[in-house]
Coordinates of all heavy atoms in Angstrom, one line a residue:
M1 N 1.2 256.7 117.0 CA 1.4 256.4 118.3 C 2.3 257.4 119.0 O 3.3 257.7 118.4 CB 2.0 255.0 118.4 CG 1.0 253.9 118.0 SD 1.8 252.3 117.8 CE 1.8 252.4 116.0
T2 N 1.9 257.8 120.1 CA 2.7 258.9 120.8 C 2.9 258.5 122.3 O 2.1 257.9 122.9 CB 1.8 260.2 120.8 OG1 1.4 260.4 119.5 CG2 2.7 261.3 121.3
M3 N 4.1 258.8 122.7 CA 4.4 258.5 124.1 C 3.8 259.6 125.0 O 3.8 260.8 124.6 CB 5.9 258.5 124.4 CG 6.7 257.4 123.7 SD 6.2 255.8 124.1 CE 6.2 255.7 125.8
T4 N 3.2 259.2 126.1 CA 2.7 260.2 127.0 C 3.5 260.1 128.3 O 4.4 259.4 128.4 CB 1.2 259.9 127.3 OG1 1.1 258.6 127.9 CG2 0.4 260.0 126.1
G5 N 3.1 260.9 129.3 CA 3.9 261.0 130.5 C 3.8 259.7 131.4 O 4.6 259.5 132.2
R6 N 2.8 258.8 131.1 CA 2.6 257.6 131.9 C 2.3 256.4 131.0 O 1.6 256.6 130.0 CB 1.5 257.8 132.9 CG 1.9 258.7 134.0 CD 1.0 258.5 135.2 NE 1.6 259.1 136.4 CZ 2.4 258.5 137.2 NH1 2.7 257.2 137.1 NH2 2.9 259.1 138.2
F7 N 2.6 255.3 131.4 CA 2.3 254.0 130.8 C 1.5 253.2 131.8 O 2.0 253.0 132.9 CB 3.5 253.2 130.3 CG 3.1 251.9 129.8 CD1 2.6 251.8 128.5 CD2 3.4 250.8 130.5 CE1 2.2 250.5 128.0 CE2 3.1 249.5 130.0 CZ 2.5 249.4 128.8
S8 N 0.3 252.8 131.5 CA -0.6 252.2 132.5 C -1.0 250.8 132.0 O -2.1 250.6 131.4 CB -1.8 253.0 132.8 OG -1.4 254.2 133.3
P9 N -0.2 249.8 132.2 CA -0.6 248.4 131.8 C -1.6 247.9 132.8 O -1.8 248.5 133.9 CB 0.7 247.6 132.0 CG 1.5 248.3 133.0 CD 1.2 249.8 132.8
P10 N -2.3 246.8 132.5 CA -3.3 246.2 133.4 C -2.7 245.9 134.7 O -1.5 245.6 134.8 CB -3.7 244.9 132.7 CG -3.4 245.1 131.3 CD -2.2 246.0 131.2
P11 N -3.4 246.1 135.8 CA -2.8 245.9 137.2 C -2.1 244.6 137.4 O -1.1 244.5 138.1 CB -4.1 246.0 138.1 CG -5.1 246.7 137.3 CD -4.8 246.4 135.9
E12 N -2.6 243.5 136.8 CA -1.9 242.2 137.0 C -0.6 242.1 136.3 O 0.2 241.2 136.5 CB -2.9 241.1 136.5 CG -3.1 241.0 135.0 CD -4.3 241.9 134.6 OE1 -4.8 242.7 135.3 OE2 -4.7 241.8 133.4
T13 N -0.2 243.1 135.4 CA 1.0 243.0 134.7 C 2.0 244.1 135.0 O 2.9 244.3 134.3 CB 0.8 242.9 133.2 OG1 0.1 244.1 132.8 CG2 0.0 241.7 132.8
V14 N 1.6 244.9 136.0 CA 2.4 246.1 136.3 C 3.9 245.8 136.5 O 4.2 244.8 137.2 CB 1.8 246.9 137.5 CG1 2.8 248.0 138.0 CG2 0.5 247.5 137.1
G15 N 4.8 246.5 135.9 CA 6.2 246.4 136.3 C 7.1 245.9 135.3 O 8.1 246.5 135.0
N16 N 6.9 244.8 134.8 CA 7.9 244.0 134.0 C 8.2 244.7 132.7 O 7.3 245.0 131.9 CB 7.3 242.6 133.8 CG 8.3 241.7 133.2 OD1 9.0 242.0 132.3 ND2 8.4 240.5 133.8
A17 N 9.5 245.0 132.4 CA 9.9 245.6 131.1 C 9.5 244.7 129.9 O 9.1 245.2 128.9 CB 11.4 245.9 131.1
V18 N 9.6 243.4 130.1 CA 9.3 242.5 129.0 C 7.7 242.5 128.7 O 7.3 242.5 127.6 CB 9.7 241.0 129.3 CG1 9.3 240.0 128.3 CG2 11.3 241.0 129.5
T19 N 7.0 242.6 129.8 CA 5.5 242.6 129.6 C 5.1 243.9 128.9 O 4.3 243.9 128.0 CB 4.8 242.6 131.0 OG1 5.1 241.3 131.6 CG2 3.3 242.7 130.9
K20 N 5.7 245.0 129.3 CA 5.4 246.3 128.7 C 5.8 246.3 127.2 O 5.0 246.7 126.4 CB 6.2 247.5 129.3 CG 5.7 247.8 130.7 CD 6.6 248.9 131.3 CE 6.1 249.1 132.7 NZ 7.0 250.0 133.5
R21 N 6.9 245.6 126.9 CA 7.3 245.5 125.5 C 6.2 244.7 124.7 O 5.8 245.1 123.6 CB 8.6 244.8 125.4 CG 9.2 244.7 124.0 CD 10.6 244.0 124.0 NE 11.2 244.2 122.7 CZ 11.0 243.4 121.7 NH1 10.2 242.3 121.8 NH2 11.7 243.5 120.5
H22 N 5.8 243.6 125.2 CA 4.8 242.8 124.6 C 3.4 243.5 124.4 O 2.8 243.4 123.4 CB 4.5 241.4 125.3 CG 5.6 240.5 125.1 ND1 5.9 239.8 123.9 CD2 6.5 240.0 126.0 CE1 6.9 239.0 124.0 NE2 7.3 239.1 125.3
L23 N 3.0 244.3 125.4 CA 1.8 245.1 125.3 C 1.9 246.1 124.2 O 1.0 246.3 123.4 CB 1.5 245.7 126.6 CG 1.0 244.8 127.8 CD1 1.0 245.5 129.1 CD2 -0.3 244.2 127.4
L24 N 3.1 246.8 124.1 CA 3.2 247.8 123.1 C 3.3 247.1 121.7 O 2.8 247.7 120.7 CB 4.5 248.6 123.4 CG 4.3 249.6 124.5 CD1 5.6 250.2 124.9 CD2 3.3 250.7 124.2
L25 N 4.0 246.0 121.6 CA 4.0 245.2 120.3 C 2.6 244.9 119.9 O 2.2 245.1 118.7 CB 4.8 243.9 120.4 CG 6.3 244.1 120.5 CD1 7.0 242.8 120.9 CD2 6.8 244.6 119.1
R26 N 1.7 244.4 120.8 CA 0.3 244.1 120.5 C -0.4 245.4 120.1 O -1.4 245.3 119.3 CB -0.4 243.5 121.7 CG -0.2 242.0 121.7 CD -1.1 241.4 122.6 NE -0.4 240.9 123.8 CZ -0.8 240.8 125.0 NH1 -2.1 241.1 125.3 NH2 -0.1 240.3 126.0
S27 N 0.0 246.5 120.5 CA -0.7 247.8 120.2 C -0.2 248.4 118.9 O -0.7 249.4 118.4 CB -0.4 248.9 121.3 OG -0.9 248.4 122.5
G28 N 0.7 247.7 118.2 CA 1.2 248.1 116.9 C 2.5 248.7 116.8 O 2.9 249.2 115.7
W29 N 3.2 248.9 117.9 CA 4.6 249.4 117.9 C 5.5 248.5 117.2 O 5.5 247.3 117.4 CB 5.1 249.7 119.3 CG 4.5 250.9 119.9 CD1 3.2 251.0 120.5 CD2 5.0 252.2 120.0 NE1 3.0 252.3 120.9 CE2 4.1 253.0 120.6 CE3 6.2 252.8 119.6 CZ2 4.3 254.4 120.9 CZ3 6.5 254.1 119.8 CH2 5.5 254.9 120.5
P30 N 6.4 248.9 116.3 CA 7.4 248.1 115.7 C 8.5 247.6 116.7 O 8.9 248.3 117.6 CB 8.1 248.9 114.6 CG 7.8 250.3 115.0 CD 6.6 250.3 115.9
S31 N 8.9 246.3 116.5 CA 9.9 245.8 117.5 C 11.2 246.6 117.5 O 11.8 246.6 118.5 CB 10.1 244.3 117.2 OG 10.6 244.1 115.9
S32 N 11.5 247.2 116.4 CA 12.8 247.9 116.3 C 12.7 249.2 117.2 O 13.8 249.8 117.4 CB 13.1 248.3 114.9 OG 12.1 249.1 114.3
S33 N 11.5 249.6 117.6 CA 11.4 250.8 118.5 C 11.3 250.4 119.9 O 11.2 251.3 120.8 CB 10.1 251.5 118.1 OG 10.2 252.1 116.8
L34 N 11.3 249.1 120.3 CA 11.1 248.7 121.6 C 12.3 247.8 122.0 O 12.3 246.6 121.7 CB 9.8 247.9 121.7 CG 8.5 248.6 121.3 CD1 7.3 247.7 121.2 CD2 8.2 249.8 122.2
L35 N 13.2 248.4 122.7 CA 14.5 247.6 123.0 C 14.6 247.5 124.5 O 14.4 248.4 125.3 CB 15.7 248.4 122.5 CG 15.6 248.8 121.0 CD1 16.8 249.6 120.6 CD2 15.5 247.5 120.1
L36 N 15.1 246.3 124.9 CA 15.4 246.1 126.4 C 16.8 246.6 126.6 O 17.7 246.5 125.8 CB 15.2 244.6 126.7 CG 13.8 244.0 126.5 CD1 13.8 242.5 126.7 CD2 12.9 244.7 127.5
G37 N 17.0 247.1 127.8 CA 18.3 247.5 128.2 C 18.6 247.1 129.7 O 17.7 247.2 130.5
E38 N 19.8 246.6 129.8 CA 20.2 246.2 131.2 C 21.0 247.4 131.7 O 21.9 247.9 131.1 CB 21.2 245.0 131.2 CG 21.6 244.6 132.6 CD 22.7 243.5 132.6 OE1 23.0 243.0 131.5 OE2 23.1 243.2 133.7
V39 N 20.6 247.9 132.9 CA 21.2 249.0 133.5 C 21.7 248.7 134.9 O 21.3 247.7 135.5 CB 20.2 250.2 133.6 CG1 19.7 250.7 132.3 CG2 19.0 249.9 134.5
A40 N 22.6 249.5 135.4 CA 23.0 249.5 136.9 C 22.4 250.8 137.4 O 22.6 251.8 136.9 CB 24.5 249.4 137.0
I41 N 21.7 250.6 138.5 CA 21.1 251.8 139.2 C 22.3 252.5 139.9 O 23.0 251.9 140.7 CB 20.0 251.4 140.2 CG1 18.9 250.7 139.4 CG2 19.5 252.6 140.9 CD1 17.9 250.1 140.3
R42 N 22.5 253.8 139.6 CA 23.6 254.5 140.1 C 23.7 254.5 141.7 O 24.8 254.4 142.2 CB 23.6 256.0 139.6 CG 24.0 256.1 138.1 CD 24.2 257.5 137.7 NE 24.4 257.6 136.3 CZ 25.6 257.5 135.7 NH1 26.6 257.2 136.4 NH2 25.7 257.6 134.4
T43 N 22.5 254.6 142.3 CA 22.6 254.8 143.8 C 22.8 253.5 144.5 O 23.4 253.5 145.6 CB 21.2 255.4 144.3 OG1 20.2 254.5 143.8 CG2 21.0 256.8 143.8
T44 N 22.5 252.3 143.9 CA 22.6 251.1 144.6 C 23.6 250.1 143.9 O 24.0 249.1 144.5 CB 21.3 250.4 144.7 OG1 20.8 250.0 143.4 CG2 20.3 251.2 145.4
G45 N 23.8 250.3 142.6 CA 24.6 249.3 141.8 C 23.8 248.1 141.4 O 24.4 247.3 140.7
E46 N 22.6 248.1 141.8 CA 21.7 246.9 141.4 C 21.5 246.9 139.9 O 21.3 247.9 139.2 CB 20.4 247.1 142.1 CG 19.4 246.0 141.7 CD 18.0 246.3 142.4 OE1 17.9 247.3 143.1 OE2 17.1 245.6 142.1
H47 N 21.6 245.7 139.3 CA 21.3 245.5 137.9 C 19.8 245.4 137.7 O 19.1 244.8 138.5 CB 22.0 244.2 137.3 CG 23.4 244.4 137.2 ND1 24.1 243.9 136.1 CD2 24.4 245.0 137.9 CE1 25.4 244.2 136.2 NE2 25.6 244.9 137.3
H48 N 19.3 246.0 136.6 CA 17.9 246.1 136.4 C 17.6 246.2 134.9 O 18.4 246.6 134.1 CB 17.4 247.4 137.1 CG 16.0 247.7 137.1 ND1 15.1 246.9 137.6 CD2 15.3 248.8 136.6 CE1 13.9 247.4 137.5 NE2 14.0 248.6 136.8
L49 N 16.4 245.7 134.5 CA 16.0 245.7 133.1 C 15.0 246.8 132.9 O 14.0 246.9 133.6 CB 15.4 244.4 132.7 CG 15.2 244.0 131.2 CD1 16.6 244.0 130.6 CD2 14.5 242.7 131.1
V50 N 15.2 247.6 131.8 CA 14.3 248.7 131.5 C 13.9 248.6 130.0 O 14.5 247.8 129.3 CB 14.9 250.1 131.7 CG1 15.2 250.4 133.2 CG2 16.1 250.3 130.9
L51 N 12.8 249.2 129.6 CA 12.4 249.2 128.2 C 12.7 250.6 127.6 O 12.4 251.6 128.2 CB 10.9 249.0 128.1 CG 10.3 249.0 126.7 CD1 10.9 247.8 125.9 CD2 8.8 248.8 126.8
L52 N 13.4 250.6 126.5 CA 13.7 251.8 125.7 C 12.7 251.9 124.6 O 12.6 250.9 123.8 CB 15.2 251.7 125.2 CG 16.3 251.6 126.2 CD1 17.6 251.2 125.6 CD2 16.4 252.9 126.9
V53 N 12.1 253.0 124.4 CA 11.1 253.2 123.4 C 11.5 254.3 122.5 O 11.7 255.5 123.0 CB 9.7 253.5 124.0 CG1 8.7 253.7 122.9 CG2 9.3 252.3 124.9
R54 N 11.7 254.0 121.2 CA 12.1 255.0 120.3 C 10.9 255.6 119.5 O 10.1 254.8 119.0 CB 13.1 254.5 119.2 CG 13.7 255.5 118.3 CD 14.6 254.9 117.2 NE 15.4 253.8 117.7 CZ 16.6 254.0 118.3 NH1 17.0 255.2 118.5 NH2 17.3 252.9 118.7
E55 N 10.7 256.9 119.6 CA 9.6 257.5 118.8 C 10.3 258.7 118.0 O 10.7 259.7 118.6 CB 8.6 258.1 119.8 CG 7.4 258.7 119.0 CD 6.4 259.3 119.9 OE1 6.7 259.9 120.9 OE2 5.2 259.2 119.5
G56 N 10.4 258.4 116.7 CA 11.1 259.4 115.9 C 12.5 259.5 116.3 O 13.2 258.5 116.4
R57 N 13.0 260.7 116.6 CA 14.4 260.8 117.1 C 14.5 260.8 118.6 O 15.6 260.8 119.1 CB 14.9 262.2 116.6 CG 14.9 262.2 115.0 CD 15.7 263.3 114.5 NE 17.0 262.8 114.5 CZ 18.0 263.3 113.8 NH1 17.7 264.3 113.0 NH2 19.2 262.8 113.8
A58 N 13.4 260.7 119.3 CA 13.4 260.7 120.7 C 13.5 259.3 121.3 O 13.0 258.3 120.7 CB 12.2 261.4 121.3
L59 N 14.2 259.1 122.4 CA 14.3 257.8 123.0 C 13.8 258.0 124.5 O 14.3 258.8 125.2 CB 15.8 257.3 123.0 CG 16.0 255.9 123.3 CD1 15.3 254.9 122.4 CD2 17.5 255.6 123.2
F60 N 12.8 257.1 124.9 CA 12.2 257.2 126.2 C 12.6 255.9 127.0 O 12.8 254.9 126.4 CB 10.7 257.3 126.1 CG 10.3 258.6 125.4 CD1 10.1 258.6 124.0 CD2 10.1 259.7 126.1 CE1 9.7 259.8 123.4 CE2 9.7 260.9 125.5 CZ 9.5 260.9 124.1
V61 N 12.6 256.0 128.3 CA 12.9 254.9 129.2 C 11.7 254.6 130.0 O 11.1 255.5 130.7 CB 14.1 255.2 130.1 CG1 14.4 254.1 131.0 CG2 15.3 255.5 129.2
L62 N 11.2 253.4 130.0 CA 10.1 252.9 130.8 C 10.7 252.0 131.9 O 11.4 251.0 131.5 CB 9.0 252.2 130.0 CG 8.1 253.1 129.2 CD1 8.8 253.7 128.0 CD2 6.9 252.2 128.7
D63 N 10.4 252.2 133.1 CA 11.0 251.5 134.2 C 9.9 251.1 135.2 O 9.1 251.9 135.6 CB 12.1 252.3 134.9 CG 12.8 251.6 136.0 OD1 12.5 250.5 136.3 OD2 13.7 252.2 136.6
N64 N 9.9 249.8 135.6 CA 8.9 249.4 136.6 C 9.1 250.0 137.9 O 8.2 249.9 138.8 CB 8.8 247.8 136.6 CG 10.0 247.2 137.3 OD1 11.2 247.6 137.0 ND2 9.8 246.3 138.2
L65 N 10.2 250.6 138.2 CA 10.4 251.2 139.5 C 9.8 252.6 139.6 O 9.7 253.2 140.6 CB 11.9 251.3 139.8 CG 12.7 250.0 139.9 CD1 14.2 250.3 140.1 CD2 12.1 249.1 141.0
S66 N 9.4 253.1 138.4 CA 8.7 254.4 138.3 C 7.7 254.3 137.2 O 8.0 253.8 136.1 CB 9.7 255.4 138.0 OG 9.1 256.6 137.6
G67 N 6.5 254.7 137.4 CA 5.4 254.7 136.4 C 5.6 255.9 135.4 O 4.8 256.0 134.5
I68 N 6.6 256.7 135.6 CA 6.8 257.9 134.8 C 7.7 257.6 133.6 O 8.8 257.0 133.8 CB 7.3 259.1 135.6 CG1 6.2 259.5 136.7 CG2 7.6 260.3 134.7 CD1 6.7 260.5 137.6
I69 N 7.4 258.0 132.4 CA 8.2 257.8 131.3 C 9.1 259.1 131.2 O 8.7 260.2 131.3 CB 7.4 257.8 130.0 CG1 6.5 256.5 130.0 CG2 8.2 257.8 128.7 CD1 5.4 256.5 129.0
V70 N 10.4 258.8 131.0 CA 11.4 259.9 131.0 C 12.2 259.7 129.7 O 12.4 258.7 129.2 CB 12.4 259.9 132.2 CG1 11.6 260.1 133.5 CG2 13.2 258.6 132.3
Q71 N 12.7 260.9 129.2 CA 13.6 260.9 128.1 C 14.9 260.3 128.5 O 15.3 260.4 129.7 CB 13.7 262.2 127.4 CG 12.4 262.6 126.7 CD 12.6 263.8 125.8 OE1 13.7 264.4 125.7 NE2 11.6 264.2 125.1
L72 N 15.7 259.8 127.5 CA 16.9 259.2 127.8 C 17.9 260.1 128.6 O 18.5 259.6 129.6 CB 17.6 258.7 126.5 CG 19.0 258.1 126.7 CD1 18.9 256.8 127.5 CD2 19.6 257.9 125.3
G73 N 18.0 261.3 128.2 CA 18.9 262.2 128.9 C 18.7 262.3 130.4 O 19.6 262.3 131.2
E74 N 17.4 262.3 130.8 CA 17.1 262.4 132.2 C 17.4 261.0 132.9 O 17.8 261.0 134.0 CB 15.6 262.7 132.3 CG 15.1 262.9 133.7 CD 13.7 263.3 133.8 OE1 13.1 263.8 132.8 OE2 13.1 263.1 134.9
A75 N 17.1 259.9 132.2 CA 17.4 258.6 132.7 C 18.9 258.4 133.0 O 19.2 257.6 133.9 CB 16.9 257.5 131.8
L76 N 19.7 259.0 132.2 CA 21.2 258.8 132.4 C 21.7 259.3 133.8 O 22.7 258.9 134.2 CB 22.0 259.5 131.3 CG 21.8 258.8 129.9 CD1 22.5 259.7 128.8 CD2 22.3 257.4 129.9
D77 N 20.9 260.2 134.4 CA 21.2 260.6 135.8 C 21.1 259.4 136.8 O 21.7 259.4 137.8 CB 20.3 261.7 136.2 CG 20.6 263.0 135.4 OD1 21.7 263.2 134.9 OD2 19.7 263.9 135.4
N78 N 20.2 258.5 136.5 CA 19.9 257.4 137.4 C 20.5 256.1 137.0 O 20.6 255.2 137.9 CB 18.3 257.2 137.5 CG 17.7 258.5 138.0 OD1 18.1 259.1 138.9 ND2 16.5 258.8 137.3
Y79 N 20.9 255.9 135.8 CA 21.3 254.6 135.3 C 22.7 254.6 134.6 O 23.0 255.6 133.9 CB 20.4 254.0 134.3 CG 18.9 253.9 134.8 CD1 18.0 254.6 134.0 CD2 18.5 253.2 135.9 CE1 16.6 254.5 134.4 CE2 17.2 253.1 136.3 CZ 16.3 253.8 135.5 OH 14.9 253.8 135.9
V80 N 23.4 253.5 134.7 CA 24.5 253.3 133.8 C 24.0 252.2 132.9 O 23.7 251.1 133.3 CB 25.8 252.8 134.6 CG1 26.9 252.4 133.6 CG2 26.2 253.9 135.5
F81 N 24.0 252.4 131.6 CA 23.6 251.4 130.6 C 24.7 250.4 130.4 O 25.8 250.8 129.9 CB 23.1 252.0 129.3 CG 21.7 252.5 129.4 CD1 21.5 253.8 130.0 CD2 20.6 251.8 129.0 CE1 20.2 254.3 130.1 CE2 19.3 252.3 129.1 CZ 19.1 253.5 129.6
L82 N 24.5 249.1 130.8 CA 25.5 248.1 130.6 C 25.4 247.4 129.3 O 26.4 247.2 128.7 CB 25.3 247.0 131.7 CG 25.3 247.6 133.1 CD1 24.9 246.5 134.1 CD2 26.6 248.2 133.5
R83 N 24.2 247.1 128.8 CA 24.0 246.6 127.4 C 22.6 246.8 127.0 O 21.7 246.9 127.8 CB 24.4 245.1 127.4 CG 23.7 244.2 128.3 CD 24.3 242.8 128.3 NE 23.5 242.0 129.2 CZ 23.1 240.8 128.9 NH1 23.5 240.2 127.8 NH2 22.4 240.1 129.7
T84 N 22.4 246.8 125.7 CA 21.1 247.0 125.1 C 20.9 246.1 123.9 O 21.9 245.7 123.3 CB 20.8 248.5 124.7 OG1 21.8 248.8 123.7 CG2 20.8 249.4 125.8
E85 N 19.6 245.8 123.7 CA 19.3 245.0 122.5 C 19.6 245.8 121.3 O 19.4 247.0 121.2 CB 17.8 244.8 122.5 CG 17.3 243.4 122.9 CD 15.8 243.3 122.8 OE1 15.1 244.2 123.2 OE2 15.4 242.3 122.3
S86 N 20.0 245.1 120.2 CA 20.2 245.8 118.9 C 18.9 246.0 118.3 O 18.0 245.2 118.3 CB 21.1 244.9 118.0 OG 21.0 245.3 116.7
D87 N 18.7 247.2 117.7 CA 17.5 247.5 117.0 C 17.4 246.8 115.6 O 16.4 246.7 115.0 CB 17.2 249.0 116.8 CG 18.4 249.7 116.2 OD1 19.4 249.2 115.9 OD2 18.2 250.9 115.8
L88 N 18.6 246.3 115.1 CA 18.6 245.6 113.9 C 18.4 244.1 114.1 O 17.9 243.5 113.2 CB 20.0 245.9 113.2 CG 20.3 247.3 112.9 CD1 21.7 247.5 112.3 CD2 19.2 247.9 111.9
N89 N 18.8 243.6 115.2 CA 18.7 242.2 115.5 C 18.5 242.0 117.0 O 19.5 242.0 117.7 CB 19.9 241.4 115.0 CG 19.8 239.9 115.2 OD1 18.9 239.4 115.9 ND2 20.7 239.1 114.6
P90 N 17.3 241.7 117.4 CA 17.0 241.6 118.9 C 17.7 240.4 119.6 O 17.7 240.4 120.8 CB 15.5 241.5 119.0 CG 15.0 241.1 117.6 CD 16.0 241.5 116.7
Q91 N 18.3 239.6 118.8 CA 19.0 238.4 119.4 C 20.5 238.9 119.8 O 21.2 238.1 120.4 CB 19.1 237.2 118.5 CG 17.7 236.7 118.3 CD 17.7 235.4 117.3 OE1 18.8 235.0 116.9 NE2 16.6 234.9 117.1
L92 N 20.9 240.1 119.3 CA 22.2 240.6 119.6 C 22.1 241.7 120.7 O 21.2 242.5 120.6 CB 22.9 241.1 118.4 CG 23.1 240.2 117.2 CD1 23.7 240.9 116.0 CD2 24.0 239.0 117.7
W93 N 23.0 241.7 121.6 CA 23.1 242.8 122.6 C 24.4 243.5 122.4 O 25.4 242.9 122.1 CB 23.0 242.2 124.0 CG 21.6 241.7 124.3 CD1 20.9 240.7 123.7 CD2 20.7 242.3 125.2 NE1 19.7 240.6 124.3 CE2 19.5 241.6 125.2 CE3 20.8 243.4 126.1 CZ2 18.4 241.8 126.0 CZ3 19.7 243.7 126.9 CH2 18.5 242.9 126.8
T94 N 24.4 244.8 122.7 CA 25.7 245.5 122.6 C 26.0 246.1 123.9 O 25.1 246.4 124.7 CB 25.6 246.7 121.5 OG1 24.5 247.5 121.9 CG2 25.3 246.1 120.1
R95 N 27.3 246.4 124.1 CA 27.7 247.1 125.4 C 27.2 248.5 125.4 O 27.2 249.2 124.4 CB 29.2 247.1 125.5 CG 29.7 245.8 126.0 CD 31.2 245.9 126.4 NE 31.6 244.6 126.7 CZ 32.9 244.2 126.6 NH1 33.8 245.0 126.2 NH2 33.2 243.0 126.9
G96 N 26.8 248.9 126.6 CA 26.4 250.3 126.7 C 25.1 250.6 126.1 O 24.2 249.8 126.1
L97 N 25.0 251.7 125.5 CA 23.7 252.2 124.9 C 23.9 252.4 123.4 O 24.8 253.1 123.0 CB 23.3 253.5 125.5 CG 22.0 254.1 125.1 CD1 20.8 253.2 125.4 CD2 21.8 255.4 125.7
T98 N 23.1 251.7 122.6 CA 23.2 251.9 121.1 C 22.2 253.0 120.7 O 21.1 253.2 121.2 CB 22.8 250.6 120.4 OG1 21.5 250.3 120.7 CG2 23.7 249.5 120.7
R99 N 22.7 253.9 119.8 CA 21.9 255.0 119.3 C 22.0 255.0 117.8 O 22.9 255.6 117.3 CB 22.3 256.3 119.8 CG 22.1 256.5 121.3 CD 22.5 257.9 121.7 NE 22.8 257.9 123.1 CZ 22.9 259.0 123.8 NH1 22.8 260.2 123.2 NH2 23.2 259.0 125.0
S100 N 21.1 254.3 117.1 CA 21.2 254.3 115.7 C 20.1 255.1 115.1 O 19.3 255.7 115.8 CB 21.1 252.9 115.1 OG 20.1 252.2 115.6

């Protein structure tokens, strides 16, 4: 499975980070590679949920505000990560961004 420049869910489900996570799980992605993250948008301060997708050593951000998949380094220009799901236990959330 490889990340491409775009993620195109069915039109009726466009947008939601949780929906994207479920679609990727159904496609065979391991749950430890699909983490939800709460961010604050730097320009507005608005809190928002994004999906973090780990592929090998790379970490990508999928956001319903943009159909374009970006690597984490690029996303950090737009977001402050407030907390993220643990890749070891999805019932636990950690402050900021976890990188294991």
